[in-house]
Amino acid sequence: MSDSPPTTKLPAQSPPVDPAETEVAGHKASAGTARLSWWHGDGGDGARRNLALIGVLLILFVIGAATRSDLYSNPDWVWANMLSILKLASVVGVVTVGMTFVIIGGGIDLSVGAIVALAGVWCTTVATQSFGAAGMIFTAIVVGMAVGLVNGTLIAYGRLVPFIATLAMLVAARGLAAEISDKQTQISQNSTINGIASNSLLGIPLLVYILAAVVIAGWVLLNRTTFGRRTVAVGGNPEAARLAGINVKLHTVLLYVLSGLCCGIAAIMLTAQATSAQAAMANLYELDAIAAVIIGGTLLSGGRGTIVGSLLGVIIFATITNLFAINGLSTEAQNMVKGGIIVAAVLIQQVQFGSLSQFFRRNNRLTTS
Amino acid sequence: MSETGRPLVEAPADAVAGEVVLRLSDVVKTFPGVRALDGVQLEVRAGEVHCLLGQNGAGKSTLIKVLAGVHRPDSGLVEWRGQPVSFANPQAAMRAGIATIYQELDLVEDLSVAENAFLGHEPRSLGFIRRGHMARRTRQILGRLGHAEIPPGRMVRALPAAGKQVVSMARALSHEARLIIMDEPSAVLAHDEVDNLFRIVRELTAQGIAVIYISHRLEEIREIGDRVTVLKDGRTTAANLPARDTPTRDLVSRMTGRTIEYVFPERSADTTVGEKLLEVDGLTRSGEFADVSLTVAAGEIVGIAGLVGSGRSEVLETIYGARRAESGTVRMAGKALRPGSVGAAVRAGLGMAPEERKSQALLLGEPIYRNVTLATFARYARLGFTDIGKERAEADRIAESLEMRPRDVNRPVRTLSGGNQQKVVVGRWLLGGTRLLLLDEPTRGVDVGARAELYQVIRELAAQGVGVLLVSSEVPEVLGLADRVLVMREGRVVRTAPAAELDESTVLDLVMSGSLMEGAAA
Ligand SMILES: Nc1ncnc2c1ncn2[C@@H]1O[C@H](COP(=O)(O)OP(=O)(O)OP(=O)(O)O)[C@@H](O)[C@H]1O
Ligand SMILES: [Mg+2]
C-alpha cells in the first residue's frame, strides 16, 4: 500500500490529496458556460419557454401585418389595436392569474366562469346598486371569495376531487345566478362602474391597468412571498409539504379563495364592459383560463408554473381572436386554430428543449447497433 | 413443465462463465454544467459480481443508466458481448439482456405487484394479457426471492418500502437477462433481507449471469463481490480489484482521496444528559404498534433498532403528528402535543427526516436551497416576503458541512445523486431551531466519508442540547451513535438499554422473527 494517501482522522477536515482532482468535475466544466447556465440549466426553463411565447406573439404580429398591410401601415392604428387586444385579454387575464395559483397548487378550478357570472349578477341587483360603486365592488369580491371558500373547503376538508367539486360548483353557481337575476339581464346604472371599462388614463384603458396590477400582484405573491413558496410546495409534493410543517389543507382553501377573489374582480370588469350582468356571462371562461395556463407552461400536475407565461397565453389567445376579427373570418375557424395551439403547446412541453438538443446531438454522433 | 423446477431466470444457453460480456472504454456523459462521467473504463465478466464503488455523485448511477439505455453517452465505446452498442431506450437494453434495478424505485404505485413485475413485457396471447399466467410467474419469482407472502394482486402503493424493493427486483428477474444491474438494492433492506438478496445473486451468477452491484457498505462488497471498480469524479480510479482481499483503507482512499479511521465520532467523556425533552407514554395505533413508551432527554441520542415493518417508522411519524395515535400521549418539554398535527410538532421544536426521500421529503424540480429551507423559509421571511439571499446562505452552510456536491445550491434537487438528495433531507432540520430531531434512516445511500460527517454533525447537535431519536436498519449505526437503544419487534418495544450494554448479535437476536408483511398488512 505504498500509494495510499496520508491517513487523516475523520471527521476533521482533511486537505484533499490532490486538490485539482477532488474539485467536483462539473465545476471545472461549468466555469466557461456559467453565464449561459440560466439558459441551459433548469432555472432558465420558464424564461426559455416565455421567450418562445413572445416569439409566437411576434409571428402572429407578422401574420397580421401580412394579411392586413393596409391597416398595419398606420402606426396609430397598430397602437390602438394593441390596446384593444390587451383590453380584450384583461378580464380573462385576471381570472387566469387566480387559475395559475390553483393549478400550481395541484388543483383545478372549473367554476371560474360561473363565479364571475354569480358575482356579476349579485353586484347588479337593485338592492346592491343602491349602495353605489363601492357596495357593488365589495359585493362582487365577497361573493367570489365566498364561493372560493366553499370550493376549497369541499376539496381540502371534504376530500372531494377538485375537478368534481368545482364542476358541481360551476352548475350550482350558474343556477344561483339565474335564480337571483330571474334569468333577466340586469343593467348597471352606476356610471363609476361603467366608467371602468370606458375610461382611459394617459391613453391606456383602465381595464389594462387593472390587469397589470393583478398580474404584478400575482407575480410578487408567487415569487417573493411565503404564500407563493407554500403554493409550489403543496402542488409539487403535498406529503413533503405536510411533513415540513406546512398546513396543506388550509393552504388549499386559500388558493381557491384567491381564485374566487380574482373572479370577483373580473366580474366588475366584465359588468362594466357590458354595462350589465346576466347568468350566462363569462361563458366558458374556465376553458380560456385553463388553456392559457397550459400554454404558459404551468404543469397541470402542479408544482411548477409562471404568472408571466399565463399572461402571455391569454394575450396570444386575444391576439388570435383579434387577427380573425380584422380579417373578417369566422369564429369557428378561430376555435379550431386555438385548439391546435393548445395541442402544440403541450407537445412542446413534453419534448423539452434540452432533450431536443440532446436528440440532435446524439443523432449526429452515435451509431446504433 | 413443472413450475417449481424452473430456474429463477431463464439463463441464456450460451452463457459462458468468465467470458467478458461488457466492456466500456472512455465513456463520457455530461449534463448541463456537470461532467458526470469523464472517461470511465469497466469490464464485466459472465458469472461474476462486479461491484462499483464511489462517493456520492461519483457517477455510478449515471454509468448504469448509460448501460440501461436511459442516457446515451456523449462519447466513448460500450461493447456488449463483443459488439459496440448504443441503446436507444431502456427497452432496447432489456431486449439485449440487460435488466436494471434502479436506485430510485420506478414502480407504478397504482398497478398490482404482478403488473409492475411484467410492465412493458406482459405475457400475451391474441393481444390479451394472460393475467393468470402473469400472476403465477410473479408468485413463482416472489417465492424464489423469499417473499411468497406478497400477493401478486396487491397494489404496489399498499406495500412497505422493502416490499417495493422486492417488487422491483422481481421486475428485473422477469426478463431473460445476461446482466443484472443493482443500484444500491440493499439501502432499503433490513439484515435478513440482504441475506436473501445475496442468496439470489449467487443463484444468478451460478447460471453465468453477470451482476453489477452498487453499494456504499463495504462489508457487503466483501461478502458478495468478485471484483471492484472504483469511480471518483466520473473517472475510473481503480479497476478490477479483488473484492475480498483489497484492504479497506485502500478502497476508501481510492474513492475519497483520503483515509477514514473512525466512522463514529468518539463519545465525549461527559455523559450527563439534560432534563427530559420528549416523553411518550403508551402510544398505540392498532396494526402498527402498541403501548410504546419512551423518553429522550436534551442532549441524548436514542436509537430504535428493529426490522423494516416492526413499526419503528410509524412510531416516529406518530410522535411527529403525521399519524394520529389511537391512545397514548406525546409530551414535549412537559407540554402535551396536539395529536395528528405536524404544525404543532414543528412549532414545539420537533423535526423529522422521513424514510422515503423522494415521496415524503423532496420537491424534485425545486432548487436545493428551497428544499433545505422547506420547513424554515417562513422563519427567514419578513412580513410574508421571503429572504432568498438568507435562505441561500443557510443552505450553503448545510451543503458545506455535509459535503454536498455539487455545492451549487441553485441546482434542482432532481439532478443530484441519490446520496446527495439524502443529505438535503437531513440537512433541512440542521438549520437551527430544532430541539428534537427525529431521524428515519438518515444515512440511506450516503457514502462512507459523508456518513462520518453526518454522525459528527448529529453528535455536535446533541452536545448543544438537541435530543435525537434515530431509527436505522443498520445495527452498528444505532449502537455506534446512540446513547440508549430501544429494540422493537412487531410493534412493541422489547428491550431498552444503554448502547454500551448491547452488542450487534444481541440486538439482531432480539430483532429477528416476524416477516415483512406481518408488520404492514394490517
Ligand atoms: N439529470 C441530471 N442532470 C444534471 N446533473 C445530473 C443528472 N443526473 C446526475 N447528475 C449529476 O451527475 C453526477 C453523478 O451523479 P450519479 O447519480 O451518477 O452519482 P452516484 O455515483 O450514483 O451517487 P450516489 O452514491 O449518491 O447515488 C452528480 O454530480 C449529479 O449531480
Ligand atoms: Mg446513485
Side-chain angles (χ1 to χ4, degrees):
Chain A
M1 276 217 335
S2 51
D3 60 341
S4 82
T7 301
T8 51
K9 184 179 147 192
L10 264 189
Q13 308 287 328
S14 57
V17 178
D18 174 2
E21 252 197 41
T22 36
E23 172 74 60
V24 177
H27 284 186
K28 276 180 281 175
S30 67
T33 53
R35 224 169 312 145
L36 270 178
S37 66
W38 68 271
W39 175 265
H40 294 294
D42 266 73
D45 227 37
R48 235 180 302 159
R49 193 172 287 129
N50 290 346
L51 277 183
L53 292 176
I54 290 173
V56 171
L57 272 177
L58 287 178
I59 292 170
L60 291 175
F61 185 86
V62 170
I63 294 175
T67 50
R68 290 304 303 264
S69 50
D70 51 328
L71 294 175
Y72 273 78
S73 59
N74 177 358
D76 289 341
W77 180 89
V78 172
W79 172 246
N81 191 48
M82 270 161 67
L83 288 181
S84 73
I85 289 174
L86 285 178
K87 204 172 158 185
L88 187 66
S90 62
V91 181
V92 177
V94 168
V95 172
T96 302
V97 169
M99 183 70 84
T100 307
F101 274 91
V102 170
I103 291 182
I104 294 176
I108 196 149
D109 191 348
L110 297 180
S111 64
V112 286
I115 301 178
V116 171
L118 180 62
V121 163
W122 208 314
C123 80
T124 50
T125 57
V126 178
T128 313
Q129 288 201 41
S130 69
F131 289 100
M136 291 171 71
I137 294 172
F138 178 79
T139 305
I141 286 175
V142 167
V143 168
M145 290 172 75
V147 177
L149 182 66
V150 174
N151 276 339
T153 308
L154 287 175
I155 291 161
Y157 295 97
R159 298 193 183 184
L160 286 185
V161 182
F163 191 94
I164 306 285
T166 58
L167 184 67
M169 184 54 81
L170 183 166
V171 179
R174 282 221 190 266
L176 183 57
E179 186 72 32
I180 291 174
S181 63
D182 203 13
K183 293 187 191 159
Q184 301 298 308
T185 300
Q186 299 179 163
I187 307 293
S188 160
Q189 314 283 359
N190 190 301
S191 59
T192 312
I193 293 291
N194 297 347
I196 291 174
S198 51
N199 290 342
S200 295
L201 184 67
L202 303 174
I204 297 173
L206 285 183
L207 288 178
V208 177
Y209 285 104
I210 298 179
L211 173 65
V214 171
V215 166
I216 291 170
W219 188 91
V220 170
L221 192 61
L222 183 61
N223 296 296
R224 290 285 177 267
T225 68
T226 54
F227 183 90
R229 189 68 69 77
R230 287 192 193 101
T231 305
V232 173
V234 165
N237 188 342
E239 179 68 0
R242 187 174 79 101
L243 292 181
I246 294 172
N247 192 336
V248 175
K249 290 188 173 176
L250 176 64
H251 193 80
T252 303
V253 173
L254 293 180
L255 286 174
Y256 287 91
V257 171
L258 178 68
S259 174
L261 167 67
C262 290
C263 292
I265 297 171
I268 294 291
M269 296 164 76
L270 194 58
T271 303
Q273 264 184 336
T275 66
S276 68
Q278 44 147 327
M281 77 199 278
N283 193 27
L284 296 185
Y285 270 33
E286 53 278 1
L287 293 190
D288 287 349
I290 293 169
V293 171
I294 293 173
I295 288 182
T298 295
L299 287 185
L300 261 186
S301 50
R304 193 158 61 161
T306 65
I307 297 285
V308 175
S310 298
L311 175 69
L312 290 171
V314 175
I315 293 177
I316 286 174
F317 272 158
T319 308
I320 293 171
T321 306
N322 178 263
L323 205 56
F324 276 75
I326 61 176
N327 281 293
L329 294 172
S330 71
T331 47
E332 287 77 18
Q334 178 187 322
N335 287 342
M336 283 161 58
V337 170
K338 281 187 185 172
I341 286 200
I342 297 176
V343 173
V346 174
L347 283 180
I348 289 175
Q349 272 187 32
Q350 283 171 353
V351 187
Q352 285 199 340
F353 286 42
S355 55
L356 210 67
S357 64
Q358 227 173 42
F359 175 81
F360 288 127
R361 227 181 338 163
R362 70 168 72 118
N363 280 357
N364 284 341
R365 274 201 217 158
L366 291 162
T367 48
T368 314
S369 69
Chain B
M1 190 193 298
S2 90
E3 292 274 319
T4 46
R6 264 162 86 176
L8 183 53
V9 170
E10 325 280 322
D14 56 341
V16 181
E19 160 204 43
V20 173
V21 288
L22 177 76
R23 193 191 305 272
L24 270 68
S25 358
D26 300 318
V27 170
V28 172
K29 171 74 196 172
T30 52
F31 295 108
V34 178
R35 220 170 162 78
L37 300 179
D38 192 16
V40 169
Q41 331 289 335
L42 179 69
E43 178 200 276
V44 180
R45 294 176 189 274
E48 78 164 333
V49 178
H50 199 105
C51 298
L52 275 184
L53 265 180
Q55 283 179 292
N56 296 133
K60 305 178 296 296
S61 297
T62 307
L63 178 62
I64 66 115
K65 282 181 187 161
V66 165
L67 295 177
V70 176
H71 296 319
R72 299 178 86 183
D74 299 346
S75 65
L77 188 64
V78 179
E79 283 172 279
W80 172 239
R81 304 174 65 211
Q83 301 289 318
V85 291
S86 169
F87 299 117
N89 50 44
Q91 286 75 33
M94 273 175 203
R95 272 197 303 276
I98 299 179
T100 308
I101 302 170
Y102 296 99
Q103 181 174 14
E104 308 293 342
L105 294 181
D106 56 341
L107 302 174
V108 185
E109 296 259 310
D110 289 310
L111 289 181
S112 72
V113 169
E115 284 163 335
N116 266 288
F118 283 88
L119 196 66
H121 65 115
E122 298 85 355
R124 292 162 193 276
S125 65
L126 302 171
F128 290 95
I129 295 176
R130 298 169 62 199
R131 301 196 149 272
H133 178 72
M134 197 164 87
R136 242 185 348 267
R137 287 276 314 272
T138 308
R139 195 169 298 123
Q140 179 199 343
I141 296 172
L142 289 171
R144 301 294 297 266
L145 285 169
H147 284 284
E149 83 279 8
I150 298 179
R154 173 75 57 95
M155 286 298 136
V156 163
R157 182 180 295 284
L159 297 180
K164 290 177 185 169
Q165 182 71 43
V166 172
V167 176
S168 71
M169 276 195 283
R171 175 191 286 178
L173 299 181
S174 69
H175 294 277
E176 186 174 311
R178 287 166 185 279
L179 170 65
I180 297 186
I181 306 172
M182 305 183 175
D183 196 353
E184 300 191 29
S186 59
V188 286
L189 297 181
H191 241 271
D192 56 335
E193 304 284 333
V194 175
D195 291 343
N196 223 333
L197 174 71
F198 286 175
R199 184 179 52 72
I200 295 155
V201 168
R202 288 197 187 97
E203 249 175 69
L204 292 170
T205 50
Q207 293 167 42
I209 293 170
V211 172
I212 295 180
Y213 188 89
I214 301 178
S215 173
H216 288 293
R217 301 180 188 163
L218 291 179
E219 66 280 7
E220 286 179 10
I221 284 166
R222 300 243 180 263
E223 188 178 341
I224 192 73
D226 294 311
R227 296 192 299 168
V228 178
T229 291
V230 183
L231 294 186
K232 178 166 183 293
D233 297 339
R235 257 174 252 148
T236 304
T237 54
N240 308 329
L241 303 172
R244 264 168 278 276
D245 308 329
T246 313
T248 299
R249 43 186 285 140
D250 217 17
L251 288 176
V252 170
S253 73
R254 283 173 199 276
M255 267 163 70
T256 62
R258 63 183 188 208
T259 310
I260 291 166
E261 265 197 350
Y262 306 114
V263 173
F264 295 103
E266 278 178 81
R267 276 168 233 270
S268 63
D270 175 26
T271 51
T272 54
V273 289
E275 78 261 40
K276 288 215 166 48
L277 206 55
L278 179 78
E279 292 164 90
V280 175
D281 193 31
L283 213 60
T284 300
R285 268 176 68 89
S286 59
E288 291 177 356
F289 54 87
D291 199 22
V292 171
S293 301
L294 59 92
T295 60
V296 181
E300 189 185 26
I301 303 177
V302 176
I304 303 183
L307 294 180
V308 175
S310 63
R312 329 162 295 181
S313 300
E314 288 80 359
V315 167
L316 232 56
E317 289 183 10
T318 309
I319 292 172
Y320 190 55
R323 295 168 189 246
R324 190 189 284 266
E326 282 158 14
S327 63
T329 56
V330 178
R331 300 170 76 79
M332 177 71 187
K335 273 197 280 186
L337 282 182
R338 184 145 61 92
S341 166
V342 175
V346 171
R347 276 191 297 278
L350 274 73
M352 182 180 79
E355 186 178 16
E356 278 195 66
R357 53 175 171 256
K358 221 172 164 185
S359 63
Q360 293 186 296
L362 294 173
L363 305 173
L364 290 171
E366 290 288 289
I368 295 171
Y369 79 90
R370 290 191 181 199
N371 274 279
V372 171
T373 59
L374 186 65
T376 41
F377 63 83
R379 215 193 292 154
Y380 308 123
R382 243 188 254 160
L383 298 171
F385 286 88
T386 50
D387 184 346
I388 293 176
K390 176 99 167 115
E391 287 183 40
R392 283 211 184 99
E394 291 288 312
D396 241 2
R397 194 167 58 79
I398 294 299
E400 170 104 48
S401 74
L402 295 183
E403 296 195 329
M404 230 178 261
R405 38 173 67 200
R407 197 63 53 85
D408 176 7
V409 294
N410 295 311
R411 278 187 171 279
V413 162
R414 180 166 41 76
T415 68
L416 288 185
S417 76
N420 284 300
Q421 291 184 358
Q422 183 65 31
K423 295 177 204 168
V424 173
V425 174
V426 178
R428 177 177 300 162
W429 298 105
L430 307 180
L431 285 172
T434 309
R435 297 171 69 198
L436 182 84
L437 196 55
L438 307 168
L439 298 172
D440 199 351
E441 303 280 7
T443 57
R444 173 178 288 180
V446 174
D447 71 46
V448 221
R451 193 176 280 233
E453 296 290 335
L454 189 58
Y455 293 149
Q456 175 70 12
V457 169
I458 293 172
R459 273 279 167 76
E460 278 168 11
L461 279 179
Q464 290 160 21
V466 174
V468 179
L469 187 56
L470 164 85
V471 161
S472 174
S473 296
E474 286 180 57
V475 178
E477 180 167 293
V478 174
L479 292 178
L481 201 57
D483 302 314
R484 209 149 46 81
V485 176
L486 271 66
V487 182
M488 280 190 73
R489 189 172 67 211
E490 291 169 11
R492 284 177 185 278
V493 178
V494 293
R495 176 91 189 265
T496 307
E501 288 175 18
L502 294 169
D503 61 24
E504 192 169 343
S505 62
T506 320
V507 174
L508 281 177
D509 283 347
L510 287 168
V511 142
M512 291 302 174
S513 90
S515 77
L516 202 59
M517 291 307 290
E518 278 172 38

